[in-house]
Amino acid sequence: MSEESGPEHGLPEYPEYAERVLEVAELIPPGRVMTYGDVAEWLEEGGPRQVGRVMALYGGAVPWWRVVRSDGVLLPGHELRAIGHYRAEGTPLREASRAAQGHVPRLDMRRARWDGTAAVHDAAGGGGADRPQAPEAHI
């Protein structure tokens, strides 16, 4: 945690794992997404459920709509807010079939999923060898 965080600076304190998850969420570029499992794999710690729990508790401080379910289904109860973000950012969506409940679109995971390579390149000063890459899209 930085010296500028904490209650004395008006910023919340998060458990270390939560901070790491939120940092990854902030790396995801507009128009792209990572799954809960991708984030856990990127961190080499925890799993999809742990990442989901962090996002449920603390995700409002970051672009939460960019950390998603692997099937592309939008977060129940937050679909309209998420769709607004996805459309504003140009995130690839798949229109819902007429049989789909509420006709809510899904994310086009094949096109929207981000593998983290640009962040690895930038974070390592161009090399990227010091940090593991996020997983490839396996759909």
Side-chain angles (χ1 to χ4, degrees):
M1 181 155 328
S2 74
E3 294 176 15
E4 296 178 8
S5 62
E8 67 276 3
H9 294 283
L11 299 174
E13 286 193 48
Y14 301 118
E16 187 220 342
Y17 183 71
E19 276 192 21
R20 293 175 62 219
V21 168
L22 298 177
E23 286 171 2
V24 173
E26 289 179 324
L27 291 174
I28 303 168
R32 304 301 296 274
V33 298
M34 288 180 91
T35 68
Y36 298 113
D38 291 344
V39 173
E41 200 170 319
W42 169 275
L43 293 172
E44 297 181 332
E45 184 179 353
R49 289 178 188 258
Q50 289 81 9
V51 171
R53 180 77 175 146
V54 167
M55 294 304 294
L57 292 173
Y58 310 111
V62 298
W64 54 268
W65 58 92
R66 297 182 192 152
V67 181
V68 301
R69 292 173 40 157
S70 62
D71 62 5
V73 171
L74 306 187
L75 185 62
H78 300 278
E79 299 94 343
L80 294 178
R81 287 179 53 214
I83 288 172
H85 289 293
Y86 297 139
R87 289 192 172 136
E89 294 181 356
T91 307
L93 297 171
R94 298 180 68 181
E95 289 305 317
S97 69
R98 289 185 210 158
Q101 185 179 21
H103 304 290
V104 176
R106 289 181 148 183
L107 290 159
D108 183 339
M109 293 302 291
R110 186 179 53 77
R111 293 176 33 224
R113 201 166 186 180
W114 184 60
D115 66 6
T117 53
V120 170
H121 183 78
D122 295 343
D130 296 341
R131 182 150 186 193
Q133 291 190 1
E136 297 290 322
H138 296 100
I139 308 277

